[in-house]
Amino acid sequence: SAGEIYRVCAEAGQTILNGACSCIFLADGETMKIVSSSGKDDHSCGSECSLDMAAVALNSSGPCYFRSRDRSDGFCPAGSSGVCFRLGSKAVFQVMSSGSGVFGSIDTRILELLRGYTEQALKRIALQHQFINQALHDPLTGIYNRNYFNRLIELEEHRARRLDSAISFVMVDIDSFKKINDTFGHQAGDRVLQEVARVLENALRKTDTVLRYGGDEFLIILTRMTTDYTHIVESRITSAMKAMEPLHEIGSRKVSVSMGHAWWTPDTELTIDEALNAADMIMLENKRKKSSRTE
């Protein structure tokens, strides 16, 4: 993680240069905060230790050296001199020394190498997170995809067994979606998928999960709930769909969905796959009934 990389960098900076302390500062909006440090606990530093110099370094391309003559209210009491390097676009790496004759050309080169290794590690972490995010999210709607479901369901099953709680699966399918694509085109269909995904997300708690299960079908996973919560969610979704603004991409027609749900509990004879299939069958039956009423 980035936190581990920051920790190693701070410890290496203090150890290699035998510094008084070494810190990593991270920009948080308009302020700077310490996210990792080494040796800081040995000194009476406040929470805003050397933030002035870190803020200057954040806006500089090269190293920023400072001596005791540069001391201000925010100057670190751990040492009489120090140096700051910017790490990426938001972080600053600082090493303090109790001596004044330090940070010569060799010390600076060592710090630059350490900064380079740290920046490369941070870039690899960011790239890994980007790949993971792309692998687990549907690129069209931005919600989770089936890959994420395969990861999540095993964890939720273990949690349900440990807590002896239920998992509810709600299958959601867009009514007449094929007709929308055939009549108005796939771009219009994409817009419908995006809007339905937004409605479903807004209808759920943060602990609930909605994902695009395939095509125009969505899956909602409800955990740690009361038995009537599934009906509350379905009612909330129905009301939100009715209140959704008509989309001009489909001739200002209203979009509706059909739903079906099934519960899985640790003491049931159903497997999770069978519970999912049961929810799917109920959804399809509700969809068939709705279609027959409108014919």
Side-chain angles (χ1 to χ4, degrees):
S1 67
E4 279 294 291
I5 292 172
Y6 288 142
R7 179 186 63 79
V8 171
C9 180
E11 291 177 354
Q14 184 196 13
T15 302
I16 293 173
L17 296 178
N18 196 25
C21 74
S22 178
C23 297
I24 304 292
F25 300 91
L26 192 65
D28 184 12
E30 298 296 323
T31 62
M32 301 285 290
K33 64 179 182 180
I34 295 176
V35 293
S36 190
S37 63
S38 179
K40 186 175 183 298
D41 294 339
D42 299 329
H43 307 279
S44 58
C45 301
S47 60
E48 298 181 352
C49 171
S50 295
L51 294 185
D52 291 346
M53 302 309 298
V56 171
L58 190 64
N59 297 306
S60 303
S61 57
C64 292
Y65 298 94
F66 47 98
R67 303 286 188 266
S68 57
R69 63 177 178 270
D70 302 313
R71 183 178 297 277
S72 64
D73 291 339
F75 195 91
C76 179
S80 59
S81 60
V83 62
C84 288
F85 289 87
R86 189 175 68 185
L87 281 177
S89 60
K90 293 185 177 181
V92 172
F93 171 38
Q94 173 184 282
V95 180
M96 296 295 301
S97 174
S98 56
S100 57
V102 293
F103 304 123
S105 59
I106 295 177
D107 296 335
T108 301
R109 179 59 180 155
I110 291 172
L111 286 173
E112 287 177 341
L113 287 171
L114 181 56
R115 179 183 68 165
Y117 291 138
T118 302
E119 287 184 332
Q120 288 300 316
L122 290 171
K123 287 178 181 178
R124 286 196 298 271
I125 288 290
L127 193 60
Q128 287 175 352
H129 289 176
Q130 180 182 344
F131 288 153
I132 292 172
N133 185 67
Q134 290 174 347
L136 300 180
H137 286 79
D138 173 50
L140 177 63
T141 61
I143 63 175
Y144 290 119
N145 59 18
R146 200 157 179 169
N147 290 334
Y148 181 77
F149 168 77
N150 295 331
R151 282 187 166 204
L152 174 69
I153 195 58
E154 185 176 351
L155 298 175
E156 291 298 348
E157 180 183 354
H158 288 315
R159 181 183 285 113
R161 291 187 185 280
R162 187 175 70 251
L163 301 177
D164 192 26
S165 60
I167 303 175
S168 180
F169 300 106
V170 183
M171 288 289 187
V172 182
D173 193 83
I174 301 173
D175 296 329
S176 304
F177 186 71
K178 184 178 184 304
K179 186 176 181 180
I180 291 173
N181 272 334
D182 292 344
T183 305
F184 301 99
H186 289 281
Q187 287 187 338
D190 289 349
R191 174 71 171 146
V192 170
L193 287 167
Q194 291 168 342
E195 285 302 303
V196 170
R198 181 186 60 81
V199 167
L200 297 181
E201 277 191 305
N202 292 338
L204 303 178
R205 305 168 301 181
K206 289 184 178 180
T207 55
D208 302 328
T209 303
V210 59
L211 53 93
R212 188 176 176 191
Y213 201 62
D216 62 323
E217 192 169 36
F218 298 86
L219 172 62
I220 295 172
I221 304 171
L222 309 175
T223 59
R224 288 162 283 177
M225 55 174 189
T226 57
T227 54
D228 61 342
Y229 179 63
T230 303
H231 299 287
I232 294 173
V233 168
E234 288 181 330
S235 177
R236 193 182 297 160
I237 291 171
T238 300
S239 298
M241 291 300 302
K242 290 180 179 178
M244 191 175 85
E245 291 292 328
L247 302 178
H248 72 271
E249 290 91 344
I250 57 172
S252 297
R253 297 186 183 185
K254 296 290 287 184
V255 178
S256 64
V257 297
S258 295
M259 291 176 282
H261 69 262
W263 288 287
W264 179 89
T265 58
D267 58 353
T268 184
E269 295 183 358
L270 288 176
T271 65
I272 285 182
D273 284 340
E274 289 170 339
L276 284 167
N277 187 63
D280 201 37
M281 292 298 102
I282 294 171
M283 180 272 294
L284 290 172
E285 178 61 20
N286 290 335
K287 192 180 186 74
R288 186 192 62 79
K289 291 178 180 178
K290 184 185 295 184
S291 178
S292 64
R293 288 196 300 266
T294 58
E295 289 178 355

